[in-house]
Structure formats: C-alpha cells, structure tokens
C-alpha cells in the first residue's frame, strides 16, 4: 500500500523549460513533505521541503506547491538545466520525522539540450 | 566527519552468509535511520535510533535483520542468513536532533546476494 505515489517513472524536458514533478499521498497524518534528488551511486540529497501549514515554498529555481485538500504536491524547476538530470524522490513525514520518511518510487528527470 | 559515511560501498554475499553494514553518522548527530532501497523503488524505512536507544524497528523485514548503535555514534546493520530478496541498497541517514533538521543521507551500501 503506497502512501506516497509518484506516478511518472520518467520525464523528459528541454533545457531552459519548466520541469514539473508530481506527487500524491494518501495519509492525512503527514505534516511535512520533502523533495530529494539522487544521482547514481550517491545517497539522496535534500532539495526543498514544505510544511503542511503552507501551500508554497520557493528556493531559487525550485518551488514546491502543496494542495492539502487534494493530497497533492508538485516540484517546479525553472529554468531546467542539464545538471538537474537525476531521480527525484518525494518524501513525507509525520511527527516531525521521528518515524522516518515515507518515499515515493521516484521520477527520473532527463533534461535534453 | 563532514558527511555520513557508509562501508562497504559494495558487498556480494552468498545466500546464507551473514553480513554487517556500517554507518558513521555526522559527528554529534543524535538521530540515525536505516533505509532499504530495492531496485526501482524508493527508500523504505527500516529502523531509527536516538543516541543508543533503538526507538523504532517496525520496518525491519524479518528477525534476520538486526541493528545496533551501542555508543550512540556508529551503527551496524546485520543481516543473518542472507536471502536473494535482501539484495538492495542500504542507506543510512542522520540528523542533528530528533527531527528532520540537518537530515543527511550516506551514499549507501549495495548488497548483492548470489
């Protein structure tokens, strides 16, 4: 039973355009959401997060949007750059992370020149 | 250290063999987590330590899996009588306090059981 779902295994975007990665969750107890970026043979690297009391958080080229009523969040990357090519994981936590993080299966983002 | 260090990076084990995977968290980090990432999947929570206390081991898939952190620093994940389904990347993460602040992953140990 997947509590965090990333329904697109892969996404291809042209350099300079906007990349939008989507994530859905089912557990209404989740109160904090994170996006991680992962290169091959490396551990996940934290990218951006959002608390459930907010609906938007921005950091440079990265913006995360949260729609609590739809249990949906998205990560926007604009403009997309070649170095953004990686696997992106959506993760959720409850109780401030003390239970660990629940991850989606990831979306492989490919930025084409 | 500067980051979370895991060793070995790669481990090949014969089915039935016992293995031990090591995690060196960031110095001073209170919390330590272990995750298992199967091929094509996201990381799945295994167990959580706060200092030397194992507060949650609900994610350990069977009693063949055992984790310890005796001095509240280095942690070892031990898998007894390895099976093919144990093949995965095992990730360790540590954080400064009891929550997500400074949550940092290591590069993982890729275990292949043959």
């Amino acid at each position: 039973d997947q509590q965090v779902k990333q329904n697109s295994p892969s996404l291809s975007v042209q350099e300079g355009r906007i990349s939008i990665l989507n994530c859905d969750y089912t557990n209404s107890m989740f109160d904090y959401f994170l996006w991680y970026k992962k290169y091959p043979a490396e551990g996940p690297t934290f990218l951006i997060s959002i608390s459930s009391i907010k609906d938007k958080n921005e950091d440079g080229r990265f913006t995360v949007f949260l729609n609590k009523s739809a249990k949906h969040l998205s990560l926007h990357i604009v403009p997309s750059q070649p170095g953004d090519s990686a696997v992106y994981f959506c993760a959720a936590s409850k109780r401030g992370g003390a239970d660990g993080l629940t991850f989606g299966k990831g979306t492989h983002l490919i930025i084409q020149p | 250290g500067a980051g979370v260090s895991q060793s070995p990076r790669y481990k090949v084990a014969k089915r039935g063999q016992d293995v031990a995977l090591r995690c060196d968290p960031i110095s001073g980090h209170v919390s330590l987590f272990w995750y298992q990432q199967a091929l094509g999947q996201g990381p799945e929570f295994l167990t959580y330590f706060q200092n030397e206390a194992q507060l949650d081991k609900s994610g350990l898939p069977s009693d063949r899996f055992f984790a310890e952190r005796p001095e509240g620093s280095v942690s070892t994940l031990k898998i007894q009588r390895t099976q093919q389904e144990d093949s995965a990347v095992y990730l360790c993460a540590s954080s400064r306090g009891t929550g997500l602040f400074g949550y940092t992953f290591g590069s993982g140990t890729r275990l292949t059981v043959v």
Side-chain angles (χ1 to χ4, degrees):
Chain A
D1 173 34
Q2 277 263 298
Q3 296 187 60
V4 176
K5 298 176 187 177
Q6 292 178 257
N7 291 320
S8 298
S10 68
L11 176 67
S12 184
V13 174
Q14 271 204 310
E15 183 179 355
R17 307 291 285 265
I18 183 170
S19 295
I20 300 176
L21 294 93
N22 293 304
C23 177
D24 297 290
Y25 62 96
T26 58
N27 191 335
S28 56
M29 299 294 290
F30 288 140
D31 57 13
Y32 201 78
F33 303 90
L34 308 92
W35 284 94
Y36 283 84
K37 178 178 179 179
K38 188 180 183 303
Y39 294 118
E42 294 184 12
T45 303
F46 171 74
L47 204 52
I48 192 168
S49 62
I50 188 166
S51 163
S52 60
I53 62 172
K54 294 189 172 183
D55 54 20
K56 177 182 174 181
N57 188 26
E58 198 169 348
D59 184 2
R61 297 186 298 114
F62 303 92
T63 304
V64 55
F65 296 91
L66 174 62
N67 182 335
K68 275 186 68 177
S69 60
K71 293 193 176 71
H72 176 83
L73 61 155
S74 61
L75 173 68
H76 292 211
I77 306 172
V78 55
S80 301
Q81 299 175 353
D84 296 331
S85 295
V87 177
Y88 288 79
F89 290 99
C90 172
S93 78
K94 44 186 174 8
R95 300 202 308 122
D99 292 339
L101 298 176
T102 302
F103 284 83
K105 290 186 178 184
T107 296
H108 186 193
L109 176 65
I110 301 158
I111 305 301
Q112 296 189 335
Chain B
V4 177
S5 177
Q6 292 188 246
S7 60
R9 287 299 309 275
Y10 302 93
K11 175 71 180 176
V12 178
K14 289 186 178 176
R15 192 166 47 186
Q17 188 179 350
D18 296 350
V19 297
L21 311 180
R22 177 187 169 106
C23 173
D24 276 272
I26 293 173
S27 179
H29 274 199
V30 166
S31 296
L32 186 145
F33 301 82
W34 282 98
Y35 291 83
Q36 180 191 57
Q37 185 178 12
L39 192 63
Q41 305 293 314
E44 291 195 5
F45 170 78
L46 293 177
T47 187
Y48 161 54
F49 290 86
Q50 192 179 114
N51 296 307
E52 68 277 5
Q54 188 174 21
L55 298 186
D56 188 346
K57 53 182 181 179
S58 62
L60 295 177
S62 78
D63 58 8
R64 297 186 294 104
F65 286 71
F66 171 76
E68 59 183 7
R69 194 186 184 197
E71 296 175 1
S73 177
V74 171
S75 176
T76 305
L77 176 66
K78 296 180 180 177
I79 310 172
Q80 296 177 324
R81 305 181 302 282
T82 52
Q83 303 295 315
Q84 279 197 312
E85 63 262 27
D86 301 334
S87 295
V89 174
Y90 291 85
L91 292 162
C92 175
S94 69
S95 70
R96 203 169 301 179
T98 56
L100 296 169
F101 189 66
Y103 207 101
T104 305
F105 281 89
S107 296
T109 294
R110 179 177 293 279
L111 172 66
T112 304
V113 181
V114 297

